[in-house]
Amino acid sequence: MVRSPCCEKMGLKKGPWTREEDRILINYINSYGHDNWRALPRLAGLLRCGKSCRLRWTNYLKPDIKRGNFSREEEQTIIELHAALGNRWSAIAAQLPGRTDNEIKNVWHTHLKKRVNKPENRCAVSNFQQITSKLKEEDVESSPSSSEINYSAHVQTSYSQLNSPQHSYSEISSVITTDKCDLQVVKLFRETEEDFWSDIFSSENTAGFTGVEQGYKSSMYDDMQFWFSILTRGDELSEI
DNA sequence: AAGACACTCAACCGCACCTGG
DNA sequence: TCCAGGTGCGGTTGAGTGTCT
């Protein structure tokens, strides 16, 4: 059996909604609700199919929809929930009041997926549950291992590079981020992140930077904080 | 200035699930 | 239990806009 289309295609409008159509839809739903999406456009006097009306309402016109850019916290929640739930956008949207599944899906495909797929970050995300479970098993108070000592050398190098603005952002970034997946590095992040990185990125230490380099510095510091919070929240995620 | 290319996001499509008769 | 209609969900598209060369 062939399912009949959700609406009669002939004569129905497609494409972007006009202000007038929005106004009609809002007025109708405010007055009568939306018990039957299929019948709604006919009753409201709209040349749209019910599906189109529902989508327009749920993704754009509903009064509790939150517009504007996603906050760091929202992006972080999406990444964590996506790691746990996969492409279940509606389930993810349920955890973000005022955000729609469509909007979250768009943000994922346009921003977050790229960020997660950066080599260093992909590694961090794919391994962070494994890493945090290892952290539970190991004694964080143990004496410095050879990799920690190596990492300290990286830190020294990055510190000096940050004080030498002639080095490119990519050079600095690679030094700081390439070992982020290493278990010992995660430990050190946990122990030193806030004060240490705040110090490294302080205006004193980057006073010689150009405007562009200041921009890089700012976004890099944001990323550092962001991924640190992802890594340190692995325990919470593993309980989802 | 203009054409090419990349990015964003609203909207559409089709499938799967739910529900009532 | 089956079937048809209604709805929700996730994948995809394409117009509009921004950026680069």
Side-chain angles (χ1 to χ4, degrees), chain A residues 25-42:
Chain A
L25 183 59
I26 291 168
N27 286 345
Y28 183 86
I29 290 175
N30 284 341
S31 300
Y32 306 104
H34 49 76
D35 286 343
N36 187 337
W37 285 113
R38 194 181 171 87
L40 188 148
R42 179 173 47 81

Side-chain angles (χ1 to χ4, degrees), chain A residues 147-198:
Chain A
S147 64
E148 280 174 332
I149 292 165
N150 288 339
Y151 179 68
S152 296
H154 279 311
V155 166
Q156 289 294 326
T157 307
S158 63
Y159 204 118
S160 62
Q161 284 184 331
L162 281 165
N163 281 309
S164 307
Q166 68 271 22
H167 291 285
S168 69
Y169 166 68
S170 59
E171 286 175 317
I172 298 168
S173 175
S174 66
V175 167
I176 293 176
T177 59
T178 46
D179 284 339
K180 217 190 286 185
C181 293
D182 185 275
L183 178 60
Q184 303 302 334
V185 174
V186 174
K187 284 184 186 177
L188 278 167
F189 259 74
R190 282 192 153 183
E191 291 162 3
T192 64
E193 200 263 350
E194 272 304 324
D195 292 344
F196 177 79
W197 293 106
S198 297

